[in-house]
Amino acid sequence: MSMFDYVVVGAGLSGVVMAERIASQLKKRVLIIERREHVGGNTYDYYNEDGILVSRYGPHIFHTKLKEIWEYLSQFTEWHHYQHKVLGHVDGNLVPIPFNLNSIKILFPKPVAEKLSSKLIDFFGYGNKVHVLELKETKDEDLKFLADFVYDKVFLNFTHKQWGLRPEELDISITGRVPIYISYDDRYFKDEFQGVPKFGYARMIKNMLNHNNIKLMLNTDYREVLTVNHLTKQIKLFGQPFEGKLIYTGKIDELFDFCFGELPYRGLELKFETVNREFYQEAGTIHFPNEYEFTRVSEMKRITGQKSGVTTIIREFPKDCNRNDIPYYPIPQQENIEKFNQYKEKAKNYPNIILTGRLADYKYYDMHASILMALDKFKNLSKGSNL
């Protein structure tokens, strides 16, 4: 008989939420296998040698409309309440991103700005949002001018740097993430609950895993200790038959030995710099859509609220992602989605495997969405369903 009732592959948010719920609510024994030397996946953070809390894989701001998700995480962390603001470097000016009525006011002469703002409000309504590609299809010449300006100055080059593709080549789920907001609200997210864990995501996740029913193996490729026989569908753990459930949050193509081909990802190279002054820039993140090879610069202190005489910034350089690199962003093109669907269909034949998370679903999720999906999977699991 196995020592464990469940095995979770991956100690990112999806896997950790599943493990915590199973251990605390079902009182079952869970083994988590993590390839990296730390928990938290791409949310992992740490204090650098200058005492600044930094995110190894780039900053993560938690936001959600759902009180139950906020309250769930609040069991494991205190919060630094933070409303994220992003500026973009456009024509020598710093303007709010996503593009909004304040951005128009900064970039255009007053009569032009007032005319454009008035038309946006008349056509789409104050407080609403419109996607730049949708705005390009309007018949009004002024709004088409605005759409072309935003597309060329804010959208096109940033998207090309980020993805190596033009916006039209990407699924609307990605290009629709940065619309034009018809308001003067400069916040990047509009959700009721926003912030970052007061002592970091790594501390929060360690608190979530602090349960006698959870065992953790770091620095371990799951294939070293676990095998899946794709003919018999049998799972073995440490060489012995495993009759429990396998919760898999890793890359779905890897689970099935890339039998339908490899699913591509975009990666990031992050460059950290500590600057000997209190603050480096005007906002938590500044986008550079048209200049430089990096896409954005984030200042951790602006996000975490730490007090220090020095500050640490992170520059992000998007790049192609090789098989052994850290995968950041699934590339939502039709051919990739079709390939993923083949893997998803194959997974239905494995009754003891539960897939969850952005790598297993080949979809970019915000953190709250990953947690919501994991909580929903747990509810189904506790009712006897894998779905």
Side-chain angles (χ1 to χ4, degrees):
M1 182 178 177
S2 174
M3 293 174 58
F4 301 100
D5 304 296
Y6 293 84
V7 173
V8 176
V9 172
L13 277 176
S14 298
V16 166
V17 169
M18 290 287 282
E20 188 281 323
R21 291 287 84 185
I22 290 166
S24 66
Q25 303 304 303
L26 301 184
K27 311 302 181 186
K28 299 293 187 180
R29 297 162 299 177
V30 185
L31 172 66
I32 303 178
I33 306 170
E34 170 56 52
R35 182 175 292 168
R36 300 187 226 183
E37 78 280 7
H38 59 74
V39 296
N42 286 3
T43 69
Y44 175 72
D45 47 19
Y46 62 97
Y47 291 90
N48 67 12
E49 60 185 13
D50 299 294
I52 305 298
L53 182 61
V54 297
S55 299
R56 181 181 292 188
Y57 306 99
H60 290 73
I61 292 86
F62 189 81
H63 59 98
T64 182
K65 294 180 174 68
L66 300 176
K67 185 178 181 180
E68 58 265 35
I69 293 181
W70 183 262
E71 290 181 341
Y72 169 69
L73 291 182
S74 296
Q75 298 175 82
F76 310 103
T77 186
E78 298 177 55
W79 294 98
H80 169 61
H81 297 280
Y82 167 74
Q83 306 272 320
H84 193 45
K85 292 188 178 181
V86 174
L87 299 175
H89 197 261
V90 179
D91 285 352
N93 297 282
L94 288 175
V95 302
I97 300 292
F99 206 85
N100 66 14
L101 298 182
N102 284 324
S103 311
I104 293 172
K105 187 176 181 181
I106 293 169
L107 288 171
F108 297 104
K110 185 176 180 180
V112 177
E114 290 178 348
K115 185 178 183 181
L116 291 173
S117 297
S118 179
K119 285 195 171 185
L120 277 174
I121 294 169
D122 289 343
F123 273 74
F124 301 102
Y126 186 82
N128 292 318
K129 58 185 178 181
V130 57
H131 182 261
V132 67
L133 298 182
E134 179 186 347
L135 196 63
K136 283 170 72 74
E137 300 301 317
T138 60
K139 294 180 180 179
D140 184 272
E141 292 302 316
D142 292 322
L143 292 182
K144 287 183 72 173
F145 159 76
L146 176 63
D148 289 338
F149 178 89
V150 175
Y151 182 87
D152 291 336
K153 298 284 189 175
V154 179
F155 203 65
L156 176 61
N157 293 327
F158 187 92
T159 301
H160 192 264
K161 282 197 290 185
Q162 181 76 11
W163 295 98
L165 298 165
R166 291 177 63 86
E168 295 86 347
E169 298 177 275
L170 291 163
D171 186 81
I172 193 68
S173 65
I174 293 298
T175 53
R177 287 174 61 83
V178 188
I180 297 172
Y181 278 94
I182 307 168
S183 79
Y184 293 98
D185 185 345
D186 288 342
R187 296 176 303 160
Y188 195 74
F189 306 112
K190 315 304 181 187
D191 296 336
E192 179 180 355
F193 302 99
Q194 300 186 41
V196 293
K198 190 171 183 179
F199 304 104
Y201 286 96
R203 172 84 69 87
M204 179 186 77
I205 287 173
K206 286 178 181 177
N207 290 339
M208 295 172 75
L209 297 178
N210 185 22
H211 196 286
N212 289 335
N213 286 337
I214 297 176
K215 302 300 178 187
L216 177 66
M217 294 180 68
L218 296 176
N219 293 305
T220 305
D221 189 311
Y222 74 92
R223 292 169 296 188
E224 298 174 37
V225 298
L226 185 144
T227 58
V228 179
N229 188 313
H230 294 296
L231 293 177
T232 66
K233 310 298 187 290
Q234 185 184 54
I235 301 170
K236 287 189 175 182
L237 179 65
F238 304 118
Q240 300 299 316
F242 176 68
E243 304 300 333
K245 299 286 188 182
L246 169 60
I247 297 166
Y248 183 83
T249 72
K251 294 194 289 186
I252 191 172
D253 51 354
E254 181 180 288
L255 176 65
F256 296 112
D257 299 327
F258 307 102
C259 64
F260 299 121
E262 195 163 351
L263 291 167
Y265 291 83
R266 285 292 277 178
L268 285 179
E269 180 181 355
L270 301 176
K271 295 187 177 179
F272 296 77
E273 180 184 352
T274 295
V275 182
N276 191 25
R277 62 176 189 258
E278 187 174 8
F279 288 105
Y280 179 81
Q281 60 190 28
E282 292 87 341
T285 298
I286 294 182
H287 285 197
F288 292 87
N290 305 306
E291 304 90 355
Y292 312 116
E293 293 182 354
F294 52 85
T295 50
R296 56 191 178 186
V297 179
S298 294
E299 184 170 7
M300 293 306 305
K301 269 176 49 180
R302 291 262 183 208
I303 297 170
T304 64
Q306 278 186 279
K307 306 296 182 184
S308 174
V310 300
T311 189
T312 299
I313 61 170
I314 308 173
R315 292 185 175 91
E316 298 185 19
F317 296 80
K319 65 172 188 174
D320 290 331
C321 188
N322 298 318
R323 183 178 293 187
N324 294 323
D325 290 336
I326 299 296
Y328 280 80
Y329 306 111
I331 301 176
Q333 290 183 292
Q334 188 58 38
E335 61 187 280
N336 300 333
I337 294 170
E338 290 174 1
K339 189 180 294 183
F340 163 73
N341 286 334
Q342 288 181 282
Y343 284 114
K344 184 178 180 180
E345 195 64 29
K346 185 177 179 68
K348 292 178 181 178
N349 298 316
Y350 293 72
N352 290 333
I353 296 180
I354 300 168
L355 302 176
T356 191
R358 64 185 181 91
L359 300 180
D361 289 341
Y362 196 68
K363 188 174 182 180
Y364 183 82
Y365 291 129
D366 284 332
M367 288 182 288
H368 68 277
S370 291
I371 292 169
L372 179 61
M373 292 193 70
L375 291 173
D376 285 344
K377 288 283 178 79
F378 168 74
K379 289 175 185 176
N380 288 327
L381 179 66
S382 61
K383 295 175 183 176
S385 171
N386 284 3
L387 299 178

